[in-house]
Amino acid sequence: MTLIAISRDRGIATLTLDSPANRNALSAQLVAELRDALADCAGDDTVRAVMLAHTGSTFCAGADLKAPPDPEAFVGLMREIVGLPKPVVARVTGHVRAGGLGLLAACDIAVAGEGSSFALTESRLGLAPAVISLTLLPRVDRTAANRYYLTGERFDAAEAARISLVTLAAEDVDKALVPVLDGLRRASPQGLATSKELVTATVLRSFDQYAEDLIARSAALFASDEAREGMTAFLERRDPAWVR
């Protein structure tokens, strides 16, 4: 079964995360299919920009704990979004958790609906937002990162916009996207590619400098006893042993 639905409309290719059974979690299959779809968009001269959307009530629940992707593959996916020579716009009308925030932060523009919610839940599982820091920390207000990295608290679309995780929060996401997509359609391919290079250069350098260390750190956390307890407790819908 295909987990990425693809459609095109006047130069905008929409890649829809279509795995609602596991809340569009980042499985090995979903990551691989999304990377393939992005590569196709990169080589298609009729595509001016990419929109990342979702089915169901969740944009992305983070890593699929039952069938997780290789950490290098997920880092590769985030880097490909950042480095794609075409803008990537996120359309978010649902919940975003953990690794899903890294996917979201890799996009150039993100519009979130009022019903959206966000949380970095890794610390509650014995993990940390390691590899997703590559896209999150250059984008998110540092004071807010300090809070939400540590507490795992949930926050809404307005707060996501305030801390720069998303570009804007909107009551009507599609209405808010109209001027954004119109602007992208009016821009030249060369103008878009070069303009994106200017704003992503520092982020791409951070991938080159820090990705290997963060992948190793993430792997060590996932293999730890605390993480095993945290993930088991999550799947069993109970508090982990350390909760007081």
Side-chain angles (χ1 to χ4, degrees):
M1 182 178 67
T2 300
L3 302 183
I4 302 295
I6 304 171
S7 62
R8 289 176 171 80
D9 178 42
R10 296 176 51 221
I12 307 298
T14 299
L15 309 181
T16 301
L17 307 184
D18 190 19
S19 183
N22 67 351
R23 300 189 302 151
N24 294 317
L26 294 161
S27 64
Q29 181 184 348
L30 186 144
V31 168
E33 288 187 18
L34 186 51
R35 293 184 74 177
D36 288 344
L38 288 166
D40 288 343
C41 290
D44 187 341
D45 291 339
T46 68
V47 173
R48 186 63 51 82
V50 174
M51 185 158 66
L52 194 59
H54 64 98
T55 58
S57 61
T58 301
F59 174 79
C60 180
D64 185 338
L65 300 182
K66 295 181 180 179
D70 181 273
E72 291 187 5
F74 179 49
V75 170
L77 169 61
M78 291 191 295
R79 196 186 196 288
E80 284 157 17
I81 293 173
V82 176
L84 198 77
K86 302 174 183 186
V88 180
V89 179
R91 179 189 182 276
V92 182
T93 58
H95 310 301
V96 192
R97 297 290 183 269
L101 274 75
L103 183 66
L104 177 63
C107 299
D108 302 291
I109 299 169
V111 180
E114 289 184 336
S116 304
S117 71
F118 308 80
L120 290 159
T121 54
E122 287 90 343
S123 66
R124 299 187 180 192
L125 299 176
L127 302 168
V131 296
I132 63 174
S133 291
L134 291 163
T135 57
L136 277 171
L137 291 183
R139 181 167 189 144
V140 172
D141 172 83
R142 184 56 62 92
T143 301
N146 288 344
R147 175 178 179 176
Y148 295 121
Y149 265 50
L150 297 174
T151 68
E153 293 171 88
R154 186 172 62 183
F155 54 96
D156 62 14
E159 175 70 352
R162 187 191 71 81
I163 68 176
S164 298
L165 173 63
V166 302
T167 311
L168 61 97
E171 181 177 354
D172 186 329
V173 172
D174 291 320
K175 182 177 180 180
L177 281 167
V178 169
V180 173
L181 299 181
D182 181 62
L184 297 177
R185 289 182 174 112
R186 290 176 179 275
S188 80
Q190 175 179 276
L192 287 175
T194 304
S195 296
K196 180 168 176 172
E197 282 180 3
L198 294 172
V199 295
T200 60
T202 301
V203 181
L204 290 174
R205 285 196 295 270
S206 75
F207 271 84
D208 296 335
Q209 187 172 358
Y210 300 116
E212 185 175 345
D213 174 68
L214 290 172
I215 289 170
R217 189 176 301 190
S218 178
L221 286 169
F222 268 94
S224 69
D225 290 339
E226 277 195 18
R228 278 192 289 271
E229 164 61 12
M231 290 185 285
T232 300
F234 175 79
L235 294 172
E236 294 178 351
R237 299 181 180 274
R238 63 171 174 83
D239 284 338
W242 59 75
V243 172
R244 295 292 180 263

